[in-house]
């Protein structure tokens, strides 16, 4: 069996195109431009790159972006004052605080300060609480898990009644993904580092969401034939020459690296019914859903 590939790049582009069209309609109608404010604390190069790509996406879709940057030694009070300022700024539709913040900052306190109507990352306790409660709707769904479910639905995978296994229970991916699947009437098992017989649990899954950050840990023989496999993992590994030695980049003189997921793609694609590649699967969906959430924030604030 060869799985049907779920093309996250293509589906993310469709989401972005739809958002751009809605933004253009709003602008033509004289409504406020949806605007995303990002808050970066410290100098982590990966965080700076993520924030830059979010600002670039805003520009490409005709949205506004405001980029706030505090030094690594910023105090809790400075971060909180900045979030309060952005909450009060009527030009700002959505606020994204880039995680992780430096260790001395209490992230939970900062996230709980974000106005729920501007919480486009969906991480405020109120949004997550609503996601966890039957009959309640969060204003915003966290972007990566939202992207995972969107991909399943676009691929035509039936979620209702399915046995779903989520590998990982982080606040940003595993746990909200599990809550979303429960909300869509799947029967969900959440696995983590203390789970016994992981392969045995995964073999029961009609739907597998892997978000553990462990290079290609999920093997082909863990996958139930025909299952839908969503691989959230992003892991960097060295590229090898045919003789097994590390390949060296001619440009930089450094060993070449490539990205792989938490699932052994080559093995899993022979067993699964649907599978997302890495890169080009869940990754592009995260920013696309952030853009969709920022548009939604602007729409929510229209009625204020
Ligand atoms: P995280 O906060 O480190 O959480 C990892 C989870 O996996 C934890 O719940 C941990 O269990 C579990 N785990 C770790 N090793 C395990 C093992 N050997 N067996 C079973 N469970 C294990 O990671 P995260 O932030 O959720 O990210 C997960 C992966 O997704 C990473 O590769 C990350 O780069 C990627 N990611 C991708 C996107 C995207 O846009 N595509 C977005 C976010 C994250 P415990 O709770 O017991 O420690």
């Amino acid at each position: 069996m060869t799985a049907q590939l779920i093309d996250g790049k293509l589906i993310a582009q469709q989401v972005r195109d739809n958002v751009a069209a809605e933004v253009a309609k709003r602008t033509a109608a004289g409504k406020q431009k949806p605007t995303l404010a990002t808050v970066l604390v410290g100098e982590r190069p990966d965080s700076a790159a993520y924030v830059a790509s979010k600002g670039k996406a805003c520009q490409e879709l005709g949205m506004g972006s405001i980029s706030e940057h505090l030094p690594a030694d910023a105090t809790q009070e400075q971060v909180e004052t900045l979030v309060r300022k952005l909450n009060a700024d009527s030009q700002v539709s959505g606020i994204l605080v880039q995680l992780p913040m430096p260790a001395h900052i209490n992230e939970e306190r900062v996230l709980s300060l974000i106005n729920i109507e501007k919480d486009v990352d969906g991480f405020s306790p109120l949004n997550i609480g609503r996601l966890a409660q039957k009959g309640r709707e969060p204003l915003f769904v966290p972007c990566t898990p939202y992207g995972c479910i969107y991909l399943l639905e676009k691929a035509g995978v039936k979620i209702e009644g399915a046995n779903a296994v989520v590998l990982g229970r982080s606040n940003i991916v595993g746990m909200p993904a599990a809550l979303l699947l429960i909300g869509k009437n799947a029967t969900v098992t959440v696995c983590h580092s203390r789970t016994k017989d992981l392969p045995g649990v995964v073999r029961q899954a009609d739907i597998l969401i892997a978000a553990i950050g462990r290079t290609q840990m999920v093997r082909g023989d863990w996958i139930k034939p025909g299952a839908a496999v969503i691989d959230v993992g992003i892991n960097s590994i060295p590229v090898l020459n045919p003789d097994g030695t590390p390949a060296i980049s001619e440009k930089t003189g450094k060993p070449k690296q490539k990205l792989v997921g938490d699932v052994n793609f080559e093995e899993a694609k022979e067993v699964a019914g649907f599978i997302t590649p890495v890169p080009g699967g869940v990754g592009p969906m995260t920013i696309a859903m952030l853009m969709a959430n920022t548009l939604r924030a602007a729409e929510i604030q229209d009625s204020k």
Side-chain angles (χ1 to χ4, degrees):
M1 169 162 202
T2 303
Q4 188 178 319
L5 202 69
I6 305 178
D7 187 343
K9 216 171 152 191
L10 181 76
I11 297 171
Q13 191 55 50
Q14 290 164 353
V15 171
R16 289 166 70 120
D17 290 346
N18 289 342
V19 171
E22 287 303 315
V23 170
K25 263 195 230 163
R26 287 180 61 85
T27 321
K31 290 186 182 168
Q32 190 174 313
K33 197 189 242 195
T35 297
L36 176 69
T38 55
V39 175
L40 173 65
V41 184
E43 314 298 335
R44 278 180 67 124
D46 55 345
S47 293
Y50 291 139
V51 161
S53 61
K54 288 162 189 172
K56 186 166 164 262
C58 286
Q59 267 186 5
E60 286 167 359
L61 273 55
M63 313 211 295
S65 72
I66 296 171
S67 148
E68 300 279 2
H69 186 186
L70 294 175
D73 61 356
T75 62
Q76 179 82 24
E77 203 187 328
Q78 282 173 310
V79 181
E80 291 186 9
T81 302
L82 177 56
V83 170
R84 286 200 185 87
K85 185 189 91 170
L86 296 170
N87 276 341
D89 186 340
S90 61
Q91 297 301 309
V92 171
S93 321
I95 302 171
L96 180 141
V97 175
Q98 186 64 44
L99 302 179
M101 283 189 276
H104 67 280
I105 302 288
N106 181 334
E107 284 184 355
E108 195 185 342
R109 257 176 53 194
V110 173
L111 294 180
S112 65
L113 270 184
I114 299 174
N115 181 339
I116 186 173
E117 293 180 347
K118 298 190 177 189
D119 177 30
V120 287
D121 241 349
F123 293 154
S124 83
L126 211 51
N127 261 324
I128 294 289
R130 285 190 181 179
L131 192 62
Q133 285 177 318
K134 196 171 177 187
R136 302 261 173 96
E137 287 284 327
L139 288 180
F140 303 102
V141 175
C143 303
T144 302
Y146 186 11
C148 294
I149 304 300
Y150 194 91
L151 288 178
L152 286 169
E153 290 184 327
K154 272 277 162 187
V157 174
K158 192 161 186 278
I159 300 179
E160 181 159 325
N163 280 333
V165 170
V166 179
L167 297 186
R169 57 176 166 181
S170 72
N171 291 338
I172 62 165
V173 191
M175 196 54 85
L179 294 171
L180 281 167
L181 287 165
I182 292 170
K184 295 197 174 285
N185 297 320
T187 302
V188 181
T189 306
V190 181
C191 300
H192 45 76
S193 63
R194 317 291 159 84
T195 299
K196 288 185 184 151
D197 185 21
L198 209 56
V201 178
V202 172
R203 277 186 201 112
Q204 306 300 315
D206 304 310
I207 294 172
L208 173 67
I209 296 187
I212 47 179
R214 296 279 179 263
T215 303
Q216 297 174 324
M217 194 174 106
V218 177
R219 307 301 302 259
D221 66 357
W222 297 22
I223 308 286
K224 181 176 176 179
V229 177
I230 304 290
D231 191 352
V232 185
I234 303 176
N235 309 290
S236 180
I237 61 165
V239 177
L240 299 179
N241 292 317
D243 65 359
T245 57
I248 304 296
S249 159
E250 282 178 16
K251 217 164 137 196
T252 63
K254 290 182 181 165
K256 282 189 192 166
Q257 297 281 321
K258 66 173 180 178
L259 296 180
V260 296
D262 289 342
V263 176
N264 185 313
F265 181 84
E266 289 306 317
E267 293 177 5
K269 78 174 178 17
E270 300 302 326
V271 191
F274 299 87
I275 192 165
T276 57
V278 177
V282 176
M285 293 302 293
T286 298
I287 289 190
M289 294 336 236
L290 175 64
M291 297 298 110
N293 277 352
T294 305
L295 169 64
R296 179 167 156 74
E299 288 169 351
I300 290 170
Q301 285 150 42
D302 282 346
S303 52
K304 295 281 141 189

